[in-house]
Amino acid sequence: MSNGAGRVTIAGLADRLGLSKASVSYALNGQPGVSDETRERVLALAEQLGWHPSSSARALSRSRSDTIGIVLRRDPSLLGAEPYYMSLLAGVESELSVTGQSLLLRMVGADAGQEVAAYRRWSAEARVDGVMLFDLTFDDPRPALLEELGLAYVLHGNRETLAPGKVLLYDARADAAVLVRHLASLGHRRALHIAGPAGFEHEADRRDAVAATGRALGLEFVFAASDYSMDAGERIAAEALAADPAITAVLTSNDLLALGAQAALNRAGRDDVAIASWDDSLLCRLGTRPITALDRSPEEQGRRSTRMLLDQLAGTPTADRRARESRLVPRATSIPAPAAATR
């Protein structure tokens, strides 16, 4: 077999080196059974000849698909408008590219039944080795279903009660403290919090943490739930500020809501109202008044949760199951409260 004469195989490597196919396989896959010297010879020739493992053969040999799955309850046409998930998926892909594995992504709209059906189909067809879950609800049935199906999984959440050891943990209380303290330091005493859907566990945790921190600092919040869209942010902000002129700051659960709130304030000629977003993105950095936001490193979170899932599949414990600490990025919308509002 000559270099470039065809596809490089384990049998071809074995012939060149005068070794058995088993020895070459052990060396390439990091398994015991060969000496360090033999392993180095095999790896050196494999690199020289551009050998790459057959993904299908590798998967069959381990009864694996070498694929992880993600189902998002999002309209496919709207996913590109959500920078958080685009960044998180980029992190997932970057981690998988290192291991040569694949991502299977499905978007099913708001129908929870379609999500459940996707997991059952994937399990029956052995399409994926494990999955990632987002937007946990109270009494969420998905962890129990995945346990029943025998699918490995990792959750993104603020607590471990549903799946101890399988959660990439965020700290809603710490994030809320950073945001609320910032607004309080600017002198604000009454603010609007535009949150996401009330049924999501992380939104309830955020709301409780924002209210508690606000009470401690003398900053009162008015709460409103939304669907995370820019239209909802614009509508809710317009209605709330018209009904309650004492509001001097707006805190939103994502960047799209913040953009919507800013549009409403611009239309009303209100350049004296502060805005802060729970998510940062390029959207927050553009425009004449860039928006203060919390950098939660979604790409890094995607990498960490992927590493957790791959470790789980390999039977290896993950040392750090916590998301990276968030960082506040103050921008033009960190506006001090009007003097009258601070009295």
Side-chain angles (χ1 to χ4, degrees), residues 250 252 254-263 274-294 329-334:
V250 179
T252 68
N254 77 351
D255 45 1
L256 293 175
L257 291 170
L259 283 178
Q262 187 175 61
I275 305 175
S277 167
W278 212 290
D279 286 337
D280 192 18
S281 73
L282 179 63
L283 298 178
C284 292
R285 300 192 285 275
L286 299 177
T288 55
R289 293 178 64 211
I291 297 171
T292 293
L294 200 62
V329 184
R331 297 193 179 100
T333 59
S334 288

PDB file of all heavy atoms in Angstrom, residues 250 252 254-263 274-294 329-334:
ATOM      1  N   VAL A 250     -35.401  49.266  33.273  1.00  0.00           N
ATOM      2  CA  VAL A 250     -35.981  48.037  32.730  1.00  0.00           C
ATOM      3  C   VAL A 250     -34.908  46.951  32.728  1.00  0.00           C
ATOM      4  O   VAL A 250     -33.809  47.146  32.199  1.00  0.00           O
ATOM      5  CB  VAL A 250     -36.507  48.245  31.293  1.00  0.00           C
ATOM      6  CG1 VAL A 250     -37.089  46.934  30.756  1.00  0.00           C
ATOM      7  CG2 VAL A 250     -37.554  49.353  31.246  1.00  0.00           C
ATOM      8  N   THR A 252     -34.377  42.996  31.500  1.00  0.00           N
ATOM      9  CA  THR A 252     -35.006  41.995  30.627  1.00  0.00           C
ATOM     10  C   THR A 252     -34.271  40.664  30.706  1.00  0.00           C
ATOM     11  O   THR A 252     -33.073  40.614  30.964  1.00  0.00           O
ATOM     12  CB  THR A 252     -35.019  42.468  29.163  1.00  0.00           C
ATOM     13  OG1 THR A 252     -33.679  42.502  28.651  1.00  0.00           O
ATOM     14  CG2 THR A 252     -35.650  43.848  29.034  1.00  0.00           C
ATOM     15  N   ASN A 254     -33.645  38.615  28.221  1.00  0.00           N
ATOM     16  CA  ASN A 254     -32.724  38.349  27.106  1.00  0.00           C
ATOM     17  C   ASN A 254     -32.506  39.610  26.287  1.00  0.00           C
ATOM     18  O   ASN A 254     -33.106  40.667  26.554  1.00  0.00           O
ATOM     19  CB  ASN A 254     -33.200  37.171  26.245  1.00  0.00           C
ATOM     20  CG  ASN A 254     -34.338  37.523  25.314  1.00  0.00           C
ATOM     21  OD1 ASN A 254     -34.922  38.595  25.376  1.00  0.00           O
ATOM     22  ND2 ASN A 254     -34.674  36.600  24.434  1.00  0.00           N
ATOM     23  N   ASP A 255     -31.652  39.502  25.290  1.00  0.00           N
ATOM     24  CA  ASP A 255     -31.272  40.662  24.488  1.00  0.00           C
ATOM     25  C   ASP A 255     -32.381  41.139  23.564  1.00  0.00           C
ATOM     26  O   ASP A 255     -32.546  42.343  23.342  1.00  0.00           O
ATOM     27  CB  ASP A 255     -30.006  40.353  23.678  1.00  0.00           C
ATOM     28  CG  ASP A 255     -30.055  38.985  23.020  1.00  0.00           C
ATOM     29  OD1 ASP A 255     -31.069  38.274  23.161  1.00  0.00           O
ATOM     30  OD2 ASP A 255     -29.063  38.611  22.372  1.00  0.00           O
ATOM     31  N   LEU A 256     -33.199  40.215  23.031  1.00  0.00           N
ATOM     32  CA  LEU A 256     -34.288  40.617  22.148  1.00  0.00           C
ATOM     33  C   LEU A 256     -35.330  41.443  22.907  1.00  0.00           C
ATOM     34  O   LEU A 256     -35.850  42.433  22.387  1.00  0.00           O
ATOM     35  CB  LEU A 256     -34.941  39.390  21.527  1.00  0.00           C
ATOM     36  CG  LEU A 256     -34.077  38.592  20.547  1.00  0.00           C
ATOM     37  CD1 LEU A 256     -34.797  37.333  20.085  1.00  0.00           C
ATOM     38  CD2 LEU A 256     -33.691  39.455  19.358  1.00  0.00           C
ATOM     39  N   LEU A 257     -35.632  41.039  24.122  1.00  0.00           N
ATOM     40  CA  LEU A 257     -36.561  41.819  24.946  1.00  0.00           C
ATOM     41  C   LEU A 257     -35.994  43.212  25.212  1.00  0.00           C
ATOM     42  O   LEU A 257     -36.729  44.206  25.212  1.00  0.00           O
ATOM     43  CB  LEU A 257     -36.829  41.099  26.274  1.00  0.00           C
ATOM     44  CG  LEU A 257     -37.637  39.810  26.196  1.00  0.00           C
ATOM     45  CD1 LEU A 257     -37.617  39.090  27.548  1.00  0.00           C
ATOM     46  CD2 LEU A 257     -39.088  40.103  25.794  1.00  0.00           C
ATOM     47  N   ALA A 258     -34.679  43.277  25.455  1.00  0.00           N
ATOM     48  CA  ALA A 258     -34.041  44.569  25.711  1.00  0.00           C
ATOM     49  C   ALA A 258     -34.142  45.476  24.493  1.00  0.00           C
ATOM     50  O   ALA A 258     -34.418  46.687  24.616  1.00  0.00           O
ATOM     51  CB  ALA A 258     -32.580  44.366  26.101  1.00  0.00           C
ATOM     52  N   LEU A 259     -33.931  44.918  23.301  1.00  0.00           N
ATOM     53  CA  LEU A 259     -34.067  45.715  22.084  1.00  0.00           C
ATOM     54  C   LEU A 259     -35.492  46.221  21.910  1.00  0.00           C
ATOM     55  O   LEU A 259     -35.722  47.368  21.498  1.00  0.00           O
ATOM     56  CB  LEU A 259     -33.672  44.883  20.868  1.00  0.00           C
ATOM     57  CG  LEU A 259     -32.184  44.667  20.615  1.00  0.00           C
ATOM     58  CD1 LEU A 259     -31.995  43.780  19.384  1.00  0.00           C
ATOM     59  CD2 LEU A 259     -31.464  45.984  20.413  1.00  0.00           C
ATOM     60  N   GLY A 260     -36.460  45.365  22.218  1.00  0.00           N
ATOM     61  CA  GLY A 260     -37.852  45.790  22.129  1.00  0.00           C
ATOM     62  C   GLY A 260     -38.169  46.910  23.105  1.00  0.00           C
ATOM     63  O   GLY A 260     -38.841  47.888  22.756  1.00  0.00           O
ATOM     64  N   ALA A 261     -37.674  46.753  24.340  1.00  0.00           N
ATOM     65  CA  ALA A 261     -37.898  47.805  25.342  1.00  0.00           C
ATOM     66  C   ALA A 261     -37.260  49.112  24.897  1.00  0.00           C
ATOM     67  O   ALA A 261     -37.844  50.204  25.056  1.00  0.00           O
ATOM     68  CB  ALA A 261     -37.334  47.362  26.687  1.00  0.00           C
ATOM     69  N   GLN A 262     -36.072  49.034  24.329  1.00  0.00           N
ATOM     70  CA  GLN A 262     -35.399  50.244  23.866  1.00  0.00           C
ATOM     71  C   GLN A 262     -36.188  50.924  22.740  1.00  0.00           C
ATOM     72  O   GLN A 262     -36.293  52.155  22.702  1.00  0.00           O
ATOM     73  CB  GLN A 262     -33.993  49.902  23.390  1.00  0.00           C
ATOM     74  CG  GLN A 262     -33.156  51.125  23.036  1.00  0.00           C
ATOM     75  CD  GLN A 262     -31.730  50.750  22.683  1.00  0.00           C
ATOM     76  OE1 GLN A 262     -31.503  50.003  21.732  1.00  0.00           O
ATOM     77  NE2 GLN A 262     -30.761  51.246  23.447  1.00  0.00           N
ATOM     78  N   ALA A 263     -36.761  50.115  21.858  1.00  0.00           N
ATOM     79  CA  ALA A 263     -37.579  50.690  20.784  1.00  0.00           C
ATOM     80  C   ALA A 263     -38.781  51.435  21.348  1.00  0.00           C
ATOM     81  O   ALA A 263     -39.130  52.530  20.869  1.00  0.00           O
ATOM     82  CB  ALA A 263     -38.036  49.584  19.830  1.00  0.00           C
ATOM     83  N   ALA A 274     -33.021  53.524  32.303  1.00  0.00           N
ATOM     84  CA  ALA A 274     -31.924  52.562  32.169  1.00  0.00           C
ATOM     85  C   ALA A 274     -32.451  51.222  31.648  1.00  0.00           C
ATOM     86  O   ALA A 274     -33.609  50.856  31.906  1.00  0.00           O
ATOM     87  CB  ALA A 274     -31.238  52.362  33.512  1.00  0.00           C
ATOM     88  N   ILE A 275     -31.595  50.495  30.929  1.00  0.00           N
ATOM     89  CA  ILE A 275     -31.942  49.159  30.438  1.00  0.00           C
ATOM     90  C   ILE A 275     -30.769  48.227  30.720  1.00  0.00           C
ATOM     91  O   ILE A 275     -29.607  48.596  30.498  1.00  0.00           O
ATOM     92  CB  ILE A 275     -32.215  49.151  28.924  1.00  0.00           C
ATOM     93  CG1 ILE A 275     -33.281  50.172  28.538  1.00  0.00           C
ATOM     94  CG2 ILE A 275     -32.660  47.750  28.468  1.00  0.00           C
ATOM     95  CD1 ILE A 275     -33.488  50.290  27.028  1.00  0.00           C
ATOM     96  N   ALA A 276     -31.085  47.030  31.195  1.00  0.00           N
ATOM     97  CA  ALA A 276     -30.061  45.997  31.393  1.00  0.00           C
ATOM     98  C   ALA A 276     -30.630  44.659  30.943  1.00  0.00           C
ATOM     99  O   ALA A 276     -31.789  44.338  31.230  1.00  0.00           O
ATOM    100  CB  ALA A 276     -29.631  45.922  32.851  1.00  0.00           C
ATOM    101  N   SER A 277     -29.814  43.881  30.225  1.00  0.00           N
ATOM    102  CA  SER A 277     -30.243  42.589  29.698  1.00  0.00           C
ATOM    103  C   SER A 277     -29.526  41.448  30.407  1.00  0.00           C
ATOM    104  O   SER A 277     -28.338  41.553  30.706  1.00  0.00           O
ATOM    105  CB  SER A 277     -29.936  42.523  28.196  1.00  0.00           C
ATOM    106  OG  SER A 277     -30.053  41.195  27.716  1.00  0.00           O
ATOM    107  N   TRP A 278     -30.258  40.352  30.626  1.00  0.00           N
ATOM    108  CA  TRP A 278     -29.665  39.164  31.255  1.00  0.00           C
ATOM    109  C   TRP A 278     -28.727  38.439  30.290  1.00  0.00           C
ATOM    110  O   TRP A 278     -27.874  37.669  30.709  1.00  0.00           O
ATOM    111  CB  TRP A 278     -30.766  38.204  31.700  1.00  0.00           C
ATOM    112  CG  TRP A 278     -30.432  37.414  32.916  1.00  0.00           C
ATOM    113  CD1 TRP A 278     -29.520  36.417  33.030  1.00  0.00           C
ATOM    114  CD2 TRP A 278     -31.005  37.565  34.220  1.00  0.00           C
ATOM    115  NE1 TRP A 278     -29.497  35.921  34.310  1.00  0.00           N
ATOM    116  CE2 TRP A 278     -30.406  36.600  35.067  1.00  0.00           C
ATOM    117  CE3 TRP A 278     -31.981  38.397  34.754  1.00  0.00           C
ATOM    118  CZ2 TRP A 278     -30.748  36.455  36.408  1.00  0.00           C
ATOM    119  CZ3 TRP A 278     -32.327  38.249  36.087  1.00  0.00           C
ATOM    120  CH2 TRP A 278     -31.702  37.294  36.906  1.00  0.00           C
ATOM    121  N   ASP A 279     -28.879  38.664  28.993  1.00  0.00           N
ATOM    122  CA  ASP A 279     -28.003  38.050  27.987  1.00  0.00           C
ATOM    123  C   ASP A 279     -27.316  39.132  27.179  1.00  0.00           C
ATOM    124  O   ASP A 279     -27.946  40.119  26.788  1.00  0.00           O
ATOM    125  CB  ASP A 279     -28.808  37.177  27.017  1.00  0.00           C
ATOM    126  CG  ASP A 279     -29.248  35.869  27.634  1.00  0.00           C
ATOM    127  OD1 ASP A 279     -28.611  35.429  28.609  1.00  0.00           O
ATOM    128  OD2 ASP A 279     -30.227  35.285  27.137  1.00  0.00           O
ATOM    129  N   ASP A 280     -26.044  38.914  26.891  1.00  0.00           N
ATOM    130  CA  ASP A 280     -25.303  39.821  26.023  1.00  0.00           C
ATOM    131  C   ASP A 280     -25.188  39.193  24.629  1.00  0.00           C
ATOM    132  O   ASP A 280     -25.261  37.981  24.484  1.00  0.00           O
ATOM    133  CB  ASP A 280     -23.910  40.083  26.598  1.00  0.00           C
ATOM    134  CG  ASP A 280     -23.196  41.232  25.905  1.00  0.00           C
ATOM    135  OD1 ASP A 280     -23.871  42.030  25.233  1.00  0.00           O
ATOM    136  OD2 ASP A 280     -21.966  41.329  26.052  1.00  0.00           O
ATOM    137  N   SER A 281     -25.029  40.036  23.625  1.00  0.00           N
ATOM    138  CA  SER A 281     -24.809  39.566  22.253  1.00  0.00           C
ATOM    139  C   SER A 281     -24.387  40.759  21.419  1.00  0.00           C
ATOM    140  O   SER A 281     -24.358  41.900  21.894  1.00  0.00           O
ATOM    141  CB  SER A 281     -26.092  38.954  21.669  1.00  0.00           C
ATOM    142  OG  SER A 281     -27.040  39.963  21.376  1.00  0.00           O
ATOM    143  N   LEU A 282     -24.110  40.488  20.155  1.00  0.00           N
ATOM    144  CA  LEU A 282     -23.772  41.571  19.238  1.00  0.00           C
ATOM    145  C   LEU A 282     -24.896  42.588  19.157  1.00  0.00           C
ATOM    146  O   LEU A 282     -24.655  43.791  19.004  1.00  0.00           O
ATOM    147  CB  LEU A 282     -23.485  40.990  17.845  1.00  0.00           C
ATOM    148  CG  LEU A 282     -23.132  41.991  16.735  1.00  0.00           C
ATOM    149  CD1 LEU A 282     -21.845  42.729  17.072  1.00  0.00           C
ATOM    150  CD2 LEU A 282     -23.007  41.278  15.400  1.00  0.00           C
ATOM    151  N   LEU A 283     -26.143  42.129  19.313  1.00  0.00           N
ATOM    152  CA  LEU A 283     -27.288  43.034  19.249  1.00  0.00           C
ATOM    153  C   LEU A 283     -27.202  44.117  20.314  1.00  0.00           C
ATOM    154  O   LEU A 283     -27.621  45.259  20.086  1.00  0.00           O
ATOM    155  CB  LEU A 283     -28.596  42.249  19.423  1.00  0.00           C
ATOM    156  CG  LEU A 283     -28.910  41.196  18.367  1.00  0.00           C
ATOM    157  CD1 LEU A 283     -30.208  40.481  18.715  1.00  0.00           C
ATOM    158  CD2 LEU A 283     -29.004  41.821  16.987  1.00  0.00           C
ATOM    159  N   CYS A 284     -26.674  43.759  21.486  1.00  0.00           N
ATOM    160  CA  CYS A 284     -26.574  44.734  22.579  1.00  0.00           C
ATOM    161  C   CYS A 284     -25.461  45.750  22.337  1.00  0.00           C
ATOM    162  O   CYS A 284     -25.456  46.821  22.960  1.00  0.00           O
ATOM    163  CB  CYS A 284     -26.327  44.025  23.906  1.00  0.00           C
ATOM    164  SG  CYS A 284     -27.736  43.049  24.486  1.00  0.00           S
ATOM    165  N   ARG A 285     -24.544  45.415  21.462  1.00  0.00           N
ATOM    166  CA  ARG A 285     -23.387  46.297  21.251  1.00  0.00           C
ATOM    167  C   ARG A 285     -23.581  47.262  20.086  1.00  0.00           C
ATOM    168  O   ARG A 285     -22.764  48.158  19.885  1.00  0.00           O
ATOM    169  CB  ARG A 285     -22.127  45.457  21.018  1.00  0.00           C
ATOM    170  CG  ARG A 285     -21.799  44.548  22.194  1.00  0.00           C
ATOM    171  CD  ARG A 285     -20.417  43.949  22.067  1.00  0.00           C
ATOM    172  NE  ARG A 285     -20.333  42.879  21.090  1.00  0.00           N
ATOM    173  CZ  ARG A 285     -20.629  41.606  21.339  1.00  0.00           C
ATOM    174  NH1 ARG A 285     -21.059  41.254  22.550  1.00  0.00           N
ATOM    175  NH2 ARG A 285     -20.499  40.682  20.405  1.00  0.00           N
ATOM    176  N   LEU A 286     -24.656  47.062  19.316  1.00  0.00           N
ATOM    177  CA  LEU A 286     -24.897  47.895  18.148  1.00  0.00           C
ATOM    178  C   LEU A 286     -25.818  49.068  18.477  1.00  0.00           C
ATOM    179  O   LEU A 286     -26.415  49.123  19.541  1.00  0.00           O
ATOM    180  CB  LEU A 286     -25.519  47.053  17.028  1.00  0.00           C
ATOM    181  CG  LEU A 286     -24.662  45.882  16.520  1.00  0.00           C
ATOM    182  CD1 LEU A 286     -25.430  45.085  15.476  1.00  0.00           C
ATOM    183  CD2 LEU A 286     -23.345  46.387  15.939  1.00  0.00           C
ATOM    184  N   GLY A 287     -25.958  49.976  17.549  1.00  0.00           N
ATOM    185  CA  GLY A 287     -26.878  51.092  17.715  1.00  0.00           C
ATOM    186  C   GLY A 287     -26.241  52.285  18.393  1.00  0.00           C
ATOM    187  O   GLY A 287     -25.092  52.252  18.849  1.00  0.00           O
ATOM    188  N   THR A 288     -27.015  53.359  18.465  1.00  0.00           N
ATOM    189  CA  THR A 288     -26.494  54.598  19.051  1.00  0.00           C
ATOM    190  C   THR A 288     -26.415  54.522  20.568  1.00  0.00           C
ATOM    191  O   THR A 288     -25.644  55.262  21.181  1.00  0.00           O
ATOM    192  CB  THR A 288     -27.396  55.782  18.654  1.00  0.00           C
ATOM    193  OG1 THR A 288     -28.750  55.500  19.042  1.00  0.00           O
ATOM    194  CG2 THR A 288     -27.349  56.001  17.139  1.00  0.00           C
ATOM    195  N   ARG A 289     -27.207  53.621  21.168  1.00  0.00           N
ATOM    196  CA  ARG A 289     -27.166  53.458  22.624  1.00  0.00           C
ATOM    197  C   ARG A 289     -26.978  51.979  22.952  1.00  0.00           C
ATOM    198  O   ARG A 289     -27.942  51.262  23.230  1.00  0.00           O
ATOM    199  CB  ARG A 289     -28.453  53.986  23.268  1.00  0.00           C
ATOM    200  CG  ARG A 289     -28.645  55.493  23.151  1.00  0.00           C
ATOM    201  CD  ARG A 289     -29.963  55.908  23.770  1.00  0.00           C
ATOM    202  NE  ARG A 289     -29.988  55.640  25.186  1.00  0.00           N
ATOM    203  CZ  ARG A 289     -31.099  55.327  25.874  1.00  0.00           C
ATOM    204  NH1 ARG A 289     -32.254  55.188  25.252  1.00  0.00           N
ATOM    205  NH2 ARG A 289     -31.029  55.126  27.169  1.00  0.00           N
ATOM    206  N   PRO A 290     -25.746  51.483  22.909  1.00  0.00           N
ATOM    207  CA  PRO A 290     -25.495  50.081  23.264  1.00  0.00           C
ATOM    208  C   PRO A 290     -26.045  49.742  24.650  1.00  0.00           C
ATOM    209  O   PRO A 290     -26.034  50.571  25.562  1.00  0.00           O
ATOM    210  CB  PRO A 290     -23.968  49.983  23.221  1.00  0.00           C
ATOM    211  CG  PRO A 290     -23.562  51.050  22.262  1.00  0.00           C
ATOM    212  CD  PRO A 290     -24.524  52.191  22.525  1.00  0.00           C
ATOM    213  N   ILE A 291     -26.520  48.514  24.789  1.00  0.00           N
ATOM    214  CA  ILE A 291     -27.268  48.104  25.986  1.00  0.00           C
ATOM    215  C   ILE A 291     -26.376  47.386  26.996  1.00  0.00           C
ATOM    216  O   ILE A 291     -25.625  46.471  26.647  1.00  0.00           O
ATOM    217  CB  ILE A 291     -28.440  47.187  25.568  1.00  0.00           C
ATOM    218  CG1 ILE A 291     -29.413  47.976  24.686  1.00  0.00           C
ATOM    219  CG2 ILE A 291     -29.158  46.622  26.792  1.00  0.00           C
ATOM    220  CD1 ILE A 291     -30.482  47.101  24.038  1.00  0.00           C
ATOM    221  N   THR A 292     -26.473  47.802  28.241  1.00  0.00           N
ATOM    222  CA  THR A 292     -25.797  47.116  29.343  1.00  0.00           C
ATOM    223  C   THR A 292     -26.306  45.678  29.428  1.00  0.00           C
ATOM    224  O   THR A 292     -27.510  45.434  29.338  1.00  0.00           O
ATOM    225  CB  THR A 292     -26.060  47.843  30.664  1.00  0.00           C
ATOM    226  OG1 THR A 292     -25.420  49.122  30.622  1.00  0.00           O
ATOM    227  CG2 THR A 292     -25.549  47.042  31.858  1.00  0.00           C
ATOM    228  N   ALA A 293     -25.396  44.711  29.585  1.00  0.00           N
ATOM    229  CA  ALA A 293     -25.817  43.314  29.561  1.00  0.00           C
ATOM    230  C   ALA A 293     -24.888  42.446  30.388  1.00  0.00           C
ATOM    231  O   ALA A 293     -23.763  42.831  30.724  1.00  0.00           O
ATOM    232  CB  ALA A 293     -25.860  42.808  28.119  1.00  0.00           C
ATOM    233  N   LEU A 294     -25.384  41.256  30.693  1.00  0.00           N
ATOM    234  CA  LEU A 294     -24.629  40.265  31.446  1.00  0.00           C
ATOM    235  C   LEU A 294     -24.021  39.269  30.467  1.00  0.00           C
ATOM    236  O   LEU A 294     -24.738  38.577  29.739  1.00  0.00           O
ATOM    237  CB  LEU A 294     -25.563  39.542  32.415  1.00  0.00           C
ATOM    238  CG  LEU A 294     -24.948  38.805  33.599  1.00  0.00           C
ATOM    239  CD1 LEU A 294     -24.208  39.772  34.525  1.00  0.00           C
ATOM    240  CD2 LEU A 294     -26.039  38.080  34.377  1.00  0.00           C
ATOM    241  N   VAL A 329     -21.376  43.897  31.670  1.00  0.00           N
ATOM    242  CA  VAL A 329     -20.748  44.798  30.700  1.00  0.00           C
ATOM    243  C   VAL A 329     -21.571  46.079  30.647  1.00  0.00           C
ATOM    244  O   VAL A 329     -22.563  46.156  29.917  1.00  0.00           O
ATOM    245  CB  VAL A 329     -20.664  44.158  29.304  1.00  0.00           C
ATOM    246  CG1 VAL A 329     -19.912  45.079  28.338  1.00  0.00           C
ATOM    247  CG2 VAL A 329     -19.999  42.790  29.366  1.00  0.00           C
ATOM    248  N   PRO A 330     -21.201  47.105  31.428  1.00  0.00           N
ATOM    249  CA  PRO A 330     -21.961  48.363  31.413  1.00  0.00           C
ATOM    250  C   PRO A 330     -21.783  49.089  30.083  1.00  0.00           C
ATOM    251  O   PRO A 330     -20.684  49.146  29.536  1.00  0.00           O
ATOM    252  CB  PRO A 330     -21.347  49.167  32.565  1.00  0.00           C
ATOM    253  CG  PRO A 330     -20.585  48.170  33.384  1.00  0.00           C
ATOM    254  CD  PRO A 330     -20.116  47.124  32.415  1.00  0.00           C
ATOM    255  N   ARG A 331     -22.880  49.639  29.573  1.00  0.00           N
ATOM    256  CA  ARG A 331     -22.827  50.404  28.330  1.00  0.00           C
ATOM    257  C   ARG A 331     -23.692  51.661  28.477  1.00  0.00           C
ATOM    258  O   ARG A 331     -23.999  52.085  29.587  1.00  0.00           O
ATOM    259  CB  ARG A 331     -23.282  49.528  27.154  1.00  0.00           C
ATOM    260  CG  ARG A 331     -22.372  48.305  26.909  1.00  0.00           C
ATOM    261  CD  ARG A 331     -22.676  47.655  25.560  1.00  0.00           C
ATOM    262  NE  ARG A 331     -21.789  46.509  25.320  1.00  0.00           N
ATOM    263  CZ  ARG A 331     -22.140  45.237  25.500  1.00  0.00           C
ATOM    264  NH1 ARG A 331     -23.368  44.946  25.905  1.00  0.00           N
ATOM    265  NH2 ARG A 331     -21.286  44.261  25.269  1.00  0.00           N
ATOM    266  N   ALA A 332     -24.099  52.221  27.341  1.00  0.00           N
ATOM    267  CA  ALA A 332     -24.759  53.526  27.354  1.00  0.00           C
ATOM    268  C   ALA A 332     -26.087  53.532  28.099  1.00  0.00           C
ATOM    269  O   ALA A 332     -26.527  54.589  28.569  1.00  0.00           O
ATOM    270  CB  ALA A 332     -24.980  54.003  25.914  1.00  0.00           C
ATOM    271  N   THR A 333     -26.735  52.375  28.231  1.00  0.00           N
ATOM    272  CA  THR A 333     -28.040  52.366  28.900  1.00  0.00           C
ATOM    273  C   THR A 333     -27.923  52.271  30.422  1.00  0.00           C
ATOM    274  O   THR A 333     -28.951  52.146  31.102  1.00  0.00           O
ATOM    275  CB  THR A 333     -28.912  51.206  28.383  1.00  0.00           C
ATOM    276  OG1 THR A 333     -28.237  49.961  28.616  1.00  0.00           O
ATOM    277  CG2 THR A 333     -29.196  51.360  26.895  1.00  0.00           C
ATOM    278  N   SER A 334     -26.706  52.322  30.960  1.00  0.00           N
ATOM    279  CA  SER A 334     -26.541  52.415  32.427  1.00  0.00           C
ATOM    280  C   SER A 334     -26.755  53.878  32.817  1.00  0.00           C
ATOM    281  O   SER A 334     -25.818  54.613  33.125  1.00  0.00           O
ATOM    282  CB  SER A 334     -25.141  51.937  32.848  1.00  0.00           C
ATOM    283  OG  SER A 334     -25.035  50.543  32.708  1.00  0.00           O
TER     284      SER A 334
END
